[in-house]
């Protein structure tokens, strides 16, 4: 299947999930996760109208950001190392995985306004990054003091499950936490479960494999 066919299919599925849950399709931003993909592959998706792309490593992303059109919105979705956060905030528009103050301090130093998500470890998995729910309030009240990072939502990766339906309670919980904090956006849902995420209120879905095929 070509990127064109895959992208059309993903867009149709997003529309259907929106329709099934009484949402407008324009409430959902599809981020094409382009980590490991070449500039040519990204260009193909761009030519099909795709404008939001997600990368998880600064070094891999830099040549792509430099050589592709500048109306692309670049999302940093990967684990955020503090020592790279300043550079990342200097080139990405949206950073999805803030979960400690060191990252914030560094990102703020780039003095370039970006949008931030707070990463939540929604299933309390010991090996995963992200904040526990009971750490959210304290972090958020610190986070809003940094002038160059504007926090608009919560993000989660979530556990590996065998059936997308199993993600529903986690997505729902992320939504109610965002609501409680007064945050409007939710970055959740990947190739295997984005429809459930859309039904549960995702504003941003991060889809790689279903668009570009499986990664090596
Ligand atoms: C790789 C990645 C994705 C995309 O995963 P797919 O299963 O290929 O859709 C989404 N979110 C994050 C944080 C990722 O690292």
């Amino acid at each position: 299947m070509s990127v064109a066919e895959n992208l059309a299919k993903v867009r149709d599925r997003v529309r259907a999930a929106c329709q099934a849950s009484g949402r407008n399709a324009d409430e959902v931003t599809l981020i094409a996760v382009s980590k490991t993909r070449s500039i040519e592959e990204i260009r193909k998706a761009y030519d099909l109208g795709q404008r939001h792309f997600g990368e998880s490593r600064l070094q891999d992303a830099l040549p792509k950001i430099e050589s592709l059109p500048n109306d692309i919105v670049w999302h940093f979705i990967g684990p955020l190392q503090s020592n790279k956060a300043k550079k990342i905030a200097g080139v990405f528009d949206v950073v999805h995985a803030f979960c400690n103050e060191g990252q914030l301090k560094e990102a703020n130093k780039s003095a370039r306004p970006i949008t931030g998500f707070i990463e939540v470890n929604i299933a309390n998995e010991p090996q995963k990054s992200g904040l526990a729910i009971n750490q959210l309030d304290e972090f958020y009240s610190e986070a809003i003091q940094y002038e160059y990072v504007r926090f608009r939502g919560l993000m989660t990766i979530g556990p590996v499950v065998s059936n997308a339906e199993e993600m529903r309670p986690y997505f729902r919980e992320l939504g109610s936490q965002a609501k409680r904090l007064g945050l409007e956006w939710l970055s959740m849902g990947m190739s295997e479960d984005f429809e459930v995420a859309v039904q549960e209120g995702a504003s941003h879905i991060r889809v790689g494999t279903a668009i570009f095929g499986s990664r090596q």
Side-chain angles (χ1 to χ4, degrees), residues 33 35 56 77-78 155 157 190-192 206-210 215:
V33 175
K35 63 187 183 197
S56 57
I77 61 170
M155 175 270 205
I157 295 176
M190 320 203 304
S191 289
E192 296 295 325
R206 311 178 307 266
V207 180
T209 309
R215 284 180 294 274

Side-chain angles (χ1 to χ4, degrees), residues 1-11 32 37 40-48 50 53 208-213:
M1 289 264 273
S2 68
V3 170
E5 290 169 302
N6 287 342
L7 193 55
K9 197 170 266 182
V10 168
R11 285 172 176 160
R37 310 299 174 175
E40 291 68 36
E41 288 174 286
I42 300 171
R43 167 73 68 172
K44 244 181 242 166
Y46 178 88
D47 289 341
L48 296 159
Q50 183 63 33
F53 291 91
T209 309
I211 294 173
F212 294 109

Side-chain angles (χ1 to χ4, degrees), residues 39 42-43 55 58-72 74 87 90-92:
I39 289 169
I42 300 171
R43 167 73 68 172
E55 290 282 330
L58 176 65
Q59 293 311 322
D60 294 346
L62 282 175
K64 302 177 182 178
I65 296 173
E66 271 166 28
S67 52
L68 285 156
N70 59 15
D71 62 341
I72 289 178
W74 290 101
K87 275 204 174 132
V91 292
F92 282 84

